[in-house]
């Protein structure tokens, strides 16, 4: 509350006493209109994007979109079945990589490393990774996994997505664990439980819904990532190999390649794919929000 | 005495029961510690891999890699200057457009919106961040760019043609709608949710006593925002803006769709250009040899620029905890 000194609150000159002058009222009204207008503009853009996806995407949706593989150049019809399955596989691979690491690291920051200098550094670096450009993570995985192993693979794609997801999970796990009241932990310790048992069966349980939210948010974050996949999983017009070696088809890169292709059915599929992916991500984000709101 | 020694003998039995738990305890502790260290290793790994991967290009081109404007894959000559300028100018435009919008939204959410209206609007603004980058690219290319070409680029080009300075900056040689300015405007909408939500949280944290006392002496809402809230939030607003800048610098797919992907440098922001990220995304899959190294070297430059921006941003945003 030391900030509450009047030094930042400039005293208004005496001339403004009494009735509110016309110019002050005008400035106030102008600010209110501008702020409301800006908010409306941003909301309009979101609904404009959703409207565009629905108008252009629904026409491309059919049973074939979910059952057939991607069409070759110049061929009729086709679907996105392999891209959808590939995207689901890559995304869950990413989450499978990121969840154990992210949850454990978040646990370290909130429980073991509380107050230590190292934990502060890790927290700071994690926040930077959280906003690091995803294209750099794609390049990184290309240098450490794709180039040495001699080819694109779904594994590299999963690792790249996992690296993007880790900071999200670390951050939410730590925040959620910090909300768990200390006496709960003390009660566990008093019963003779070692720290690991206190954390796994008391703290984690108390923070469960929040931690699940973090994982859902990470899922929403990586499901639409395109740039890192260009360097790692690339794409595949056919069903990918079950070993995930070689290119693995996925929705985002397919959209990128099909959007400005000269074939009409490709463009149709790009719109259909955009609609599918955006709706899934928005639903995921909203569900995650509901869990947080319900948990409070 | 037996009654006393009996409980005393319990500790002898205890280690046996405790040992398995003890091992789990140590493993769990070390696994958490290792995972936390992995975060540091990741950042160091990204830095080192960018430097090593880009090194051949830096060595071959020397300082010319940054200052040269030639990007010639036939003769293996690579200069990053147009991409660097493109990255900085799109990010700058994104800030010029996005920051006023974000601040306006934050003020609306914290000062003007009725309580029942605040939550749905906040969620809607935050959902702008959930929309994938590539979808912004689609919207940009198929909706925004044609409108921008017809209603902004062509009329503006007609007016400014031949004018000194203004004509150079705003004249579009081929008004297709693609270009640095279009990319900057799309980026602005992408960074709004990040800046707006941080500023909103900061304004919410300011003790309401301050606002109330300003209202109490007869200040209007605008004066409360201008003279009380903004000075209080202070540097952390700059931190939020820097965070948006970090996003804008590295954004890839949306920019690749609308920036026009031209390799030459143009003085006009209406002309096509390229950014570091868009060039990497465009050329990477066909790149071999030194071109590949040059692209990773571009990534290296992007890494260091965004790293510095994000470090400053986080330091400034962290100050908000002083409240």
């Amino acid at each position: 509350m030391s900030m509450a000194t009047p030094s930042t609150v400039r005293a208004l000159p005496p001339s403004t006493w009494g009735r509110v002058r016309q110019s002050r009222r005008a400035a106030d009204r102008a600010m209110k209109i501008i702020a409301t207008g800006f908010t409306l503009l941003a909301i309009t853009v979101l609904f404009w994007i959703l409207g565009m996806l629905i108008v252009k995407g629904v026409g491309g949706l059919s049973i074939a979109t979910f059952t057939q593989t991607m069409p070759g150049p110049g061929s009729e019809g086709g679907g996105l079945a392999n891209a959808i399955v590939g995207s689901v596989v890559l995304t869950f691979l990413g989450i499978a990589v990121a969840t154990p690491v992210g949850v454990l690291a978040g646990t370290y920051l909130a429980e073991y490393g509380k107050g230590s200098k190292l934990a502060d550094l890790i927290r700071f670096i994690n926040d930077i990774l959280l906003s690091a450009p995803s294209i750099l993570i794609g390049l990184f995985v290309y240098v450490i996994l794709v180039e040495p192993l001699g080819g694109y693979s779904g594994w590299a794609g999963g690792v790249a997505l996992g690296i993007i997801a880790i900071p999200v999970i670390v951050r939410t796990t730590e925040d959620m664990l910090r909300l768990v009241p200390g006496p709960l932990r003390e009660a566990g310790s008093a019963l003779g439980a070692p720290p690991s048992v206190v954390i796994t069966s008391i703290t984690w349980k108390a923070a469960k819904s929040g931690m699940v939210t973090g994982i859902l948010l990470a899922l929403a974050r990586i499901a639409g990532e395109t740039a890192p996949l260009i360097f790692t999983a690339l794409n595949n017009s056919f069903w990918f190999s079950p070993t995930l070696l070689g290119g693995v088809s996925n929705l985002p890169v397919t959209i990128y390649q099909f959007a400005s292709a000269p074939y009409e059915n490709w463009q149709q599929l790009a719109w259909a794919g955009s609609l599918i992916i955006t709706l899934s991500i928005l639903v995921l984000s909203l569900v995650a929000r509901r869990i947080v709101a319900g948990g409070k | 005495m037996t009654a006393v020694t009996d409980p005393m003998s319990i500790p002898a039995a205890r280690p046996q029961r405790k040992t398995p738990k003890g091992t789990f305890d140590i493993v769990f502790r070390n696994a958490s510690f290792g995972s936390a260290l992995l975060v540091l290793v990741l950042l160091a790994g990204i830095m080192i891999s960018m430097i090593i991967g880009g090194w051949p290009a830096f060595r071959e081109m020397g300082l010319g890699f940054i200052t040269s404007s030639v990007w010639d894959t036939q003769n293996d000559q690579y200069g990053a200057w147009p991409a660097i300028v493109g990255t900085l100018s799109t990010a700058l435009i994104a800030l010029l457009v996005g920051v006023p919008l974000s601040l306006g939204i934050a003020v609306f959410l914290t000062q003007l919106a009725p309580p029942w209206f605040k939550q749905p609007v906040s969620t809607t603004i935050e959902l702008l961040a959930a929309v994938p980058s590539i979808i912004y690219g689609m919207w940009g290319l198929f909706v925004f760019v044609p409108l921008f070409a017809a209603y902004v680029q062509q009329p503006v080009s007609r007016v400014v043609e031949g004018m000194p300075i203004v004509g150079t900056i705003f004249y579009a040689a081929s008004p297709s709608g693609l270009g640095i300015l279009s990319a900057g405007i799309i980026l602005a909408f992408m960074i709004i949710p990040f800046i707006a939500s941080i500023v909103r949280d900061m304004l919410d944290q300011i003790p309401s006593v301050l606002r109330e006392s300003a209202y109490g002496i007869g200040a209007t809402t605008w004066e409360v925002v201008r003279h009380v809230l903004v000075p209080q939030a202070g540097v952390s607003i700059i931190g939020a803006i820097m965070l948006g800048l970090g996003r804008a610098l590295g954004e890839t797919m949306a920019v690749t769709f609308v920036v026009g992907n031209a390799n030459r440098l143009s003085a006009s922001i209406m002309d096509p250009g390229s950014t570091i990220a868009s060039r990497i995304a465009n050329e990477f899959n066909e790149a071999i040899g030194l071109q590949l190294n040059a692209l990773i070297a571009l990534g290296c430059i992007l890494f260091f620029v965004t790293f510095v921006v994000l470090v400053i941003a986080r330091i400034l945003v962290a100050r908000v905890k002083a409240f």
Side-chain angles (χ1 to χ4, degrees), chain A residues 215-239:
Chain A
I215 295 169
L216 287 182
L217 285 177
L219 200 63
R221 169 84 201 270
I222 62 177
E225 279 292 349
T226 316
L229 292 180
I230 296 178
F231 316 119
T232 51
L234 201 59
N235 202 358
N236 193 337
S237 311
F238 310 100
W239 281 105

Side-chain angles (χ1 to χ4, degrees), chain A residues 51-281:
Chain A
M52 166 198 80
L53 289 175
I54 290 170
V55 167
K56 297 202 175 183
V58 167
L61 281 181
S62 63
I63 305 290
T65 313
F66 298 96
T67 56
Q68 295 184 15
T69 59
M70 283 147 59
S75 63
E76 290 290 305
L80 295 167
N82 54 339
I84 294 172
V85 175
S87 260
V88 171
V89 168
L90 290 177
T91 308
F92 279 93
L93 200 58
I95 286 297
V97 170
T99 303
V101 176
V103 166
L104 284 174
T107 305
Y108 176 80
L109 294 182
E111 305 284 334
Y112 291 114
K114 213 165 33 184
S116 82
K117 279 264 179 323
L118 181 66
D120 288 344
L121 176 70
I122 292 172
R123 193 173 299 121
F124 187 79
I125 296 294
N126 189 66
D127 278 352
I128 285 175
L129 273 182
L130 197 62
S131 3
S134 59
I135 190 169
L136 292 178
I137 288 159
L139 280 180
F140 169 60
V141 174
Y142 178 87
V143 171
I144 61 159
L145 277 182
V146 177
E147 213 173 26
L149 299 182
Y152 297 102
S153 72
W155 301 107
V159 169
L161 294 181
I163 295 176
I164 296 170
I166 286 173
V168 182
I169 299 182
V170 172
R171 180 70 188 266
T172 41
T173 303
E174 193 201 346
D175 287 350
M176 292 304 151
L177 291 180
R178 273 167 183 272
L179 291 178
V180 177
L184 225 64
R185 297 186 184 90
E186 286 159 17
S189 300
L191 290 175
S196 59
V197 175
V198 172
I199 291 168
T200 48
S201 26
I202 298 175
T203 332
W204 279 4
K205 247 182 206 152
K208 200 167 70 189
S209 67
M211 288 160 71
V212 171
T213 306
I215 295 169
L216 287 182
L217 285 177
L219 200 63
R221 169 84 201 270
I222 62 177
E225 279 292 349
T226 316
L229 292 180
I230 296 178
F231 316 119
T232 51
L234 201 59
N235 202 358
N236 193 337
S237 311
F238 310 100
W239 281 105
F240 47 91
S241 137
T243 59
L244 296 184
L245 296 175
V248 172
S249 47
N250 58 84
L251 270 179
V253 179
T254 304
I255 295 169
Y256 175 49
Q257 290 171 344
F258 278 19
S260 35
Y263 312 108
E264 201 168 320
N265 60 333
W266 282 28
Q267 291 170 13
Q268 273 287 317
L269 286 173
W271 286 110
S274 305
L275 179 65
I276 294 170
I277 212 162
T278 312
L279 284 187
S280 325
I281 290 172

